[in-house]
């Protein structure tokens, strides 16, 4: 076998190995991105977007520039809204910054209790936070509900964005 053919074979094998490594990384990012929609410390939509962007640079898929730009804008907007919507929900229902902070602490503690903790933690935290601010259970309950509604809306937006990106990922791959 001539040296140039051998070199060509090893170069192609190396490129193929890199493509499979990038594909594996892209799939992991897509999975972690969806999980990140539920766990607040992981930025779900940006991770999903990173997965589709990595897939774009392999031999397995090619996406249009317009699609990649639109998905990037969606990931950024949803990530920003994820910080705004829970605060808006808390304030819309009469809550204060104590309720918003309580919801954040409740969410962090709730992570240790699985899905029920992730849903109930922000609500309980917001109610406790509002009770510390104003000793009125009815007021605190209303603000806690607003915080929960805002939090769940944020999760819904993130899941919608990550599932949309995942749809294009799968469509591009197949």
């Amino acid at each position: 076998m001539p040296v140039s053919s051998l070199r060509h074979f090893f170069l192609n094998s190396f490129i193929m190995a890199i493509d499979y490594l990038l594909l594996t990384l892209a799939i992991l990012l897509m999975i972690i991105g969806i999980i990140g929609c539920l766990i607040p410390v992981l930025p779900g939509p940006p991770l999903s977007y990173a997965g589709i962007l990595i897939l774009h640079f392999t031999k397995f898929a090619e996406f249009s520039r317009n699609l990649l730009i639109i998905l990037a804008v969606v990931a950024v907007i949803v990530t920003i809204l994820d910080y705004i919507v829970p605060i808006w929900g808390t304030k819309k229902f009469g809550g204060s910054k104590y309720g918003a902070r309580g919801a954040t602490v409740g969410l962090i503690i709730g992570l240790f209790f699985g899905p029920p903790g992730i849903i109930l933690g922000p609500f309980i935290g917001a109610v406790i936070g509002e009770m510390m601010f104003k000793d009125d259970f009815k007021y605190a309950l209303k603000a806690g509900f607003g915080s929960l509604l805002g939090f769940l809306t944020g999760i819904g937006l993130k899941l919608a964005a990550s599932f949309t990106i995942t749809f294009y990922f799968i469509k591009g791959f197949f």
Side-chain angles (χ1 to χ4, degrees):
M1 187 178 225
V3 175
S4 64
S5 295
L6 193 58
R7 191 176 322 145
H8 184 69
F9 171 77
F10 283 119
L11 182 61
N12 283 341
S13 296
F14 177 73
I15 291 170
M16 190 169 64
I18 294 293
D19 271 348
Y20 279 103
L21 182 67
L22 289 174
L23 174 63
T24 303
L25 178 61
I27 291 170
L28 284 172
L29 284 169
M30 296 303 288
I31 293 167
I32 294 169
I34 290 171
I35 292 169
C37 293
L38 303 173
I39 299 175
V41 295
L42 295 173
L47 289 173
S48 294
Y49 181 76
I52 202 169
L53 192 60
I54 288 172
L55 182 66
H56 175 71
F57 291 110
T58 68
K59 69 175 183 175
F60 299 109
E62 187 174 325
F63 303 100
S64 72
R65 184 180 330 156
N66 287 343
L67 177 65
L68 291 174
I69 290 170
I70 289 168
L71 292 177
V73 169
V74 167
V76 168
I77 289 172
V78 167
T79 301
I80 291 169
L81 284 175
D82 186 45
Y83 290 102
I84 296 170
V85 169
I87 295 166
W88 174 82
T90 302
K91 291 187 181 218
K92 185 76 174 167
F93 283 79
S96 68
K97 61 183 174 185
Y98 292 94
R101 289 177 186 159
T104 303
V105 171
L107 174 62
I108 292 167
I109 293 170
L111 289 174
F112 296 104
F113 298 98
I118 292 172
I119 293 170
L120 293 176
F123 174 72
I124 294 168
V127 170
I128 292 171
E130 291 299 341
M131 288 294 291
M132 293 170 67
F133 173 68
K134 187 176 182 182
D135 193 21
D136 180 356
F137 185 71
K138 188 175 179 182
Y139 160 80
L141 202 60
K142 183 178 174 186
F145 178 73
S147 176
L148 176 65
L149 188 63
F151 174 72
L152 292 177
T153 302
I155 287 177
L157 288 171
K158 290 188 296 185
L159 282 172
S162 283
F163 280 135
T164 300
I165 294 169
T166 302
F167 167 78
Y168 284 106
F169 182 95
I170 292 169
K171 182 180 174 190
F173 184 69
F174 291 108

